[in-house]
Amino acid sequence: MKSFLENQIMKSRTIAIAGHTHPDGDCVGSCMGLYNYIKENYPDISVDVYLEPIADNYKIVKHTEDIRQPGAEPKVYDLFVCLDVSQKDRMTKGAELYFDSAKSTVNIDHHVSNTKFAEINHVLPEASSASEVVYDLLEEDKIHLDAAEALYMGIICDSGVFKYSSTSEHTMQIGGHLMAIGVDSSRWIDEVFYERTYIQNRLMGQALLNSVRVFDGRCIYTVVDREMFKQFGADHNDLEGIVDQLRLTKGAEVAILISETEEGTCKFSFRSKRYVDVNRVASLLGGGGHVRAAGCTVQGSYKEPLKIFLEAIEGQL
């Protein structure tokens, strides 16, 4: 029996796919997985994928050169699919215009904070990743290598290479099936998840040196400000892995990465191990995500928001 997504694809002639701002591995993996699947199986359908600039290590996925930036010209798609987007204003900048004009809209996600903003909303908070949710909506025998590699990348990125608490038996089974299609697991894990550029290593090293522990070491945070980005010639794509490394600090239950943007905002990335619901913490200032991984963007300085977040974290420890 075909899924609702397959049925939506089959009755469309033009399709747009978009992820969230500052796309991570799961966002790129789910978007490119669906894009490659449609290109491989429905060559008569015109499909466009819209993402903001992606990190170099994600360009290992086939056809990332096809990624487009939204333009000012009006476009009306038969179907618009949002992937890994928890709320409409988190969509690829500019793509919301195409979303609003599309004949049908679908929202596929795994964030518990999803606001269900599309006509069709398929949100599974228990899934390891948006890529896992997408996989289950596709026909297994029609998933070829290009799509399989993209989905595998998304799953390993959001599951921490199958180690985070959201990893289930089903997640592992999907990973095994994607490997059976031909995904070179060790290569993808090394090149996507573990490899770092020299700039990324230097930025991470400084971020770890600057880290601060509070609540008897049960919470650790660090700040990457604009001066640090300039010092190392880095950008926000080079932050990958820092908060996860902080999370691995012995005795820490919660890790926080704070980064300043050129637009005068600050981004908070939260991770927890077992007890603290960081989605609840992030939601205090309009953010959200998952119980063990969440984020928030605030205007201006990070100092007052940090006090609010730390007080909420202390209340859960």
Side-chain angles (χ1 to χ4, degrees):
M1 182 173 165
K2 296 184 185 299
S3 71
F4 77 88
L5 179 60
E6 197 83 31
N7 288 328
Q8 288 285 326
I9 291 171
M10 292 175 67
K11 67 182 184 181
S12 301
R13 305 319 312 157
T14 58
I15 298 175
I17 300 168
H20 58 69
T21 57
H22 305 294
D24 59 11
D26 184 33
C27 177
V28 176
S30 57
C31 287
M32 293 308 302
L34 180 58
Y35 176 81
N36 288 339
Y37 178 86
I38 295 171
K39 295 288 284 187
E40 290 163 350
N41 294 290
Y42 301 98
D44 293 334
I45 294 176
S46 174
V47 55
D48 295 324
V49 58
Y50 295 99
L51 289 170
E52 292 171 14
I54 65 174
D56 286 343
N57 56 324
Y58 300 149
K59 294 176 183 177
I60 187 176
V61 170
K62 300 292 194 307
H63 307 302
T64 52
E65 68 276 7
D66 292 348
I67 292 173
R68 300 164 65 95
Q69 304 301 313
E73 73 281 4
K75 282 191 176 183
V76 178
Y77 289 94
D78 292 332
L79 176 64
F80 193 111
V81 184
C82 292
L83 297 173
D84 204 32
V85 181
S86 60
Q87 53 197 59
K88 187 179 173 183
D89 61 5
R90 287 270 294 147
M91 197 184 305
T92 300
K93 291 177 182 176
E96 68 275 6
L97 297 176
Y98 303 154
F99 177 89
D100 290 339
S101 63
K103 296 175 184 177
S104 296
T105 57
V106 172
N107 163 27
I108 297 171
D109 190 25
H110 70 129
H111 292 92
V112 67
S113 59
N114 191 284
T115 57
K116 299 182 179 178
F117 52 86
E119 293 172 12
I120 300 174
N121 299 282
H122 186 71
V123 181
L124 301 179
E126 68 276 10
S128 70
S129 54
S131 296
E132 177 177 320
V133 181
V134 169
Y135 172 93
D136 283 333
L137 294 171
L138 306 181
E139 295 189 34
E140 285 188 352
D141 60 353
K142 291 164 63 175
I143 300 175
H144 304 302
L145 185 58
D146 289 355
E149 289 177 335
L151 294 173
Y152 191 82
M153 182 183 80
I155 290 171
I156 63 173
C157 285
D158 249 31
S159 70
V161 191
F162 306 106
K163 71 182 179 184
Y164 295 158
S165 60
S166 59
T167 303
S168 65
E169 178 183 356
H170 183 57
T171 310
M172 303 297 286
Q173 289 170 340
I174 293 172
H177 180 247
L178 295 174
M179 290 172 64
I181 292 172
V183 175
D184 183 343
S185 176
S186 60
R187 178 196 175 204
W188 282 81
I189 289 172
D190 279 347
E191 293 189 21
V192 172
F193 196 81
Y194 287 116
E195 279 190 2
R196 297 283 181 267
T197 66
Y198 184 59
I199 287 174
Q200 288 172 325
N201 280 336
R202 296 185 73 207
L203 184 66
M204 179 182 289
Q206 190 64 56
L208 297 179
L209 281 172
N210 293 351
S211 64
V212 178
R213 294 193 302 166
V214 293
F215 310 138
D216 297 322
R218 290 178 293 170
C219 179
I220 184 168
Y221 69 87
T222 194
V223 180
V224 178
D225 59 23
R226 286 188 290 275
E227 285 303 312
M228 282 179 64
F229 283 120
K230 183 185 297 185
Q231 177 185 354
F232 295 109
D235 60 32
H236 271 76
N237 285 327
D238 295 312
L239 295 172
E240 198 75 31
I242 294 177
V243 70
D244 295 304
Q245 190 61 46
L246 287 172
R247 174 186 168 275
L248 294 174
T249 304
K250 189 170 184 178
E253 163 63 17
V254 182
I256 310 171
L257 169 64
I258 306 158
S259 57
E260 292 186 343
T261 72
E262 290 297 330
E263 295 79 25
T265 63
C266 290
K267 290 178 61 63
F268 285 76
S269 295
F270 303 91
R271 298 290 186 274
S272 67
K273 289 179 179 174
R274 296 178 183 85
Y275 310 116
V276 174
D277 181 346
V278 292
N279 176 63
R280 280 175 51 198
V281 174
S283 68
L284 291 173
L285 293 179
H290 311 288
V291 173
R292 300 285 172 254
C296 181
T297 300
V298 300
Q299 297 293 324
S301 171
Y302 66 86
K303 293 181 179 179
E304 286 304 316
L306 178 60
K307 290 178 183 178
I308 294 171
F309 291 139
L310 290 178
E311 182 178 340
I313 289 167
E314 185 179 26
Q316 291 192 51
L317 288 172

